[in-house]
Amino acid sequence: MPNAHVIRSGAEAVEVARKLAAAVAVQAGERDRDRRAPAAELDELSRSGLLGVTVPARHGGAEVGVAVLAEVFRTLAAADASLAQIPQSHFVFLDALRRQGSEQQQARYFAKALDGARFANAQTERGGRTVTDDATALRLTKPGRYVLDGVKYYSTGALFADVLVVRAVLADEPPLPDGSAPKALAYIPRDTPGVVIEDDWDGMGQRTTASGTVRLEGVRVGAKDVVPYNAIFDGPTTYGARAQVLHAALDAGIARGAVAAAVTAAGKARPWFESGAETATGDPLLVQRAGELEITVRAAEALLREAAEAIDAAERDPSADATAQASIATAAAKVATGRAALDAASTLFELGGTRSAAGALNLSRHWRDARTHTLHDPERWKVQHIGRWLLTGTPPPRHGQL
């Protein structure tokens, strides 16, 4: 995507996100209703420069912190949760490059990001016992050359990607000390021969994320495009927290978007006759419910900011304690924002009354988006990690989901 703007500061990134959010919000409901891919909107995202804001300064980027990035995601998600979901993995894989990429890999791929290129994930599989079990394999064919075979699902944004990032097992290397298979990330052009992307995502929510299937058959990959994966977790790291806080930001944005829709719906509702009020917004019981909802959402937003700031602090001083604190703060934010999103998207209908359920309004998209996205990384396990840390000081595990 040529002619992308280069953002120079965190303040500019937030301002650009607000302008883009206002533009993409206009037809967000229609896109969801019709399952219409946001191709034009993603082109605007690329041109905006937001996809390059985390590129390190030495490579020409603004190198914004996590607090800024989380606010960008929250802002976009309040306007269109599907559109905002698409670049989540983009920033995760730029972070992987920052941590494990060679100087040459960083220079090449960070330049692409600054130019508006979109990176998308091909990670999750269905055949393993858990979501961390991969069968997709990178096999050496000769020194410096690999072939990639496998099938990936829920590959958000793959249809719109310039670069696909595939997590795969290094089939020719011995197991790690813990017995697990060594893995790597392969960065490959979307149009590489042997790559087939199917537009088969049929989720009830986040309908326009293009989270389809990626099939990889005899895909040739050079060593220059392979980045180590397991080593990310060898020491104290904020890698997982950075990924998860963006999910929390998406949930916070969904919640805030649902609140905005609830305010509009309440303004058009009729007061309940027993209230004696002239308008629905004068009904004291409705006012009470609205106030409670705003407190819930504000609390979730505050925990999101706290988590993002904790990650930024841990990146300045990546000690075991600091990174553990960041992961716990992120877990708390993810739980709170997920609950707020579901509460807000449901309460929207309480405040709007019967007419808010009209199919033509498509207000159900807020709940459908919330319910679908909050299925990422179950909150029950985050609560467990928080509880263990609180009671016994047990540090959270190091993996990409915390």
Side-chain angles (χ1 to χ4, degrees), residues 88 92 238-251 304 311 327 330-331 333-334 337 373 376-378 382 399-402:
Q88 190 269 344
V92 173
T238 58
Y239 180 79
R242 283 182 71 112
Q244 286 294 302
V245 83
L246 298 184
H247 283 304
L250 287 163
D251 287 337
L304 173 65
I311 296 170
S327 287
T330 300
K334 183 64 173 65
T337 54
H373 185 256
H376 270 283
D377 315 297
K382 298 186 186 303
H399 53 57
Q401 282 74 44
L402 194 65

Side-chain angles (χ1 to χ4, degrees), residues 270-287:
R270 293 186 295 179
W272 184 243
F273 70 94
E274 291 177 286
S275 70
E278 292 297 319
T279 64
T281 55
D283 179 338
L285 298 183
L286 188 145
V287 170

Side-chain angles (χ1 to χ4, degrees), residues 296-312:
T296 296
V297 174
R298 285 194 182 202
E301 291 170 337
L303 285 173
L304 173 65
R305 289 191 295 271
E306 179 182 273
E309 290 168 0
I311 296 170
D312 282 335

Side-chain angles (χ1 to χ4, degrees), residues 15-326:
E15 181 59 27
V16 169
R18 288 171 180 165
K19 290 179 179 178
L20 181 61
V24 302
V26 176
Q27 293 188 334
E30 289 83 351
R31 285 194 297 274
D32 172 88
R33 182 192 60 214
D34 301 335
R35 273 192 199 272
R36 188 171 75 245
E41 290 76 15
L42 283 169
D43 285 346
E44 286 301 312
L45 175 63
S46 286
R47 281 189 287 268
S48 75
L50 287 172
L51 295 179
V53 294
T54 61
V55 170
R58 65 189 181 89
H59 287 283
E63 198 171 348
V64 305
V66 177
V68 168
L69 190 61
E71 179 59 15
V72 166
F73 269 77
R74 190 195 69 83
T75 299
L76 294 176
D80 184 341
S82 287
L83 181 76
Q85 172 72 40
I86 289 172
Q88 190 269 344
S89 58
H90 169 96
F91 288 101
V92 173
F93 294 132
L94 291 184
D95 187 40
L97 280 168
R98 180 175 68 94
R99 296 171 189 272
Q100 291 296 320
S102 68
E103 187 65 29
Q104 293 78 13
Q105 288 171 328
Q106 290 179 3
R108 182 154 53 98
Y109 286 115
F110 286 153
K112 287 180 180 291
L114 286 173
D115 202 32
R118 298 188 288 263
F119 295 64
N121 89 88
Q123 294 190 98
T124 303
E125 300 180 15
R126 288 179 177 169
R129 186 177 63 85
T130 75
V131 297
T132 63
D133 296 320
D134 294 318
T136 296
L138 269 170
R139 291 184 171 84
L140 274 171
T141 56
K142 59 183 179 180
R145 301 298 302 176
Y146 294 88
V147 65
L148 179 63
D149 290 283
V151 182
K152 298 290 186 175
Y153 300 90
Y154 313 119
S155 302
T156 301
L159 280 167
F160 307 114
D162 299 291
V163 179
L164 281 179
V165 186
V166 183
R167 189 178 66 199
V169 172
L170 292 166
D172 301 297
E173 295 191 10
L176 298 172
D178 64 1
S180 64
K183 298 179 183 180
L185 299 173
Y187 291 67
I188 59 176
R190 179 201 179 284
D191 59 359
T192 301
V195 175
V196 176
I197 302 174
E198 300 176 3
D199 186 10
D200 58 354
W201 169 242
D202 66 349
M204 68 175 180
Q206 294 193 294
R207 290 177 169 180
T208 62
T209 57
S211 300
T213 300
V214 173
R215 300 187 184 276
L216 307 150
E217 298 181 4
V219 178
R220 298 186 181 279
V221 182
K224 63 184 176 58
D225 298 312
V226 176
V227 174
Y229 180 73
N230 304 88
I232 293 173
F233 308 104
D234 284 347
T237 181
T238 58
Y239 180 79
R242 283 182 71 112
Q244 286 294 302
V245 83
L246 298 184
H247 283 304
L250 287 163
D251 287 337
I254 293 171
R256 182 51 66 189
V259 169
V263 171
T264 299
K268 297 177 180 178
R270 293 186 295 179
W272 184 243
F273 70 94
E274 291 177 286
S275 70
E278 292 297 319
T279 64
T281 55
D283 179 338
L285 298 183
L286 188 145
V287 170
Q288 177 74 15
R289 186 68 186 93
E292 291 171 347
L293 177 61
E294 178 67 8
I295 291 168
T296 296
V297 174
R298 285 194 182 202
E301 291 170 337
L303 285 173
L304 173 65
R305 289 191 295 271
E306 179 182 273
E309 290 168 0
I311 296 170
D312 282 335
E315 297 216 331
R316 292 190 294 270
D317 175 25
S319 65
D321 182 64
T323 55
Q325 293 273 6

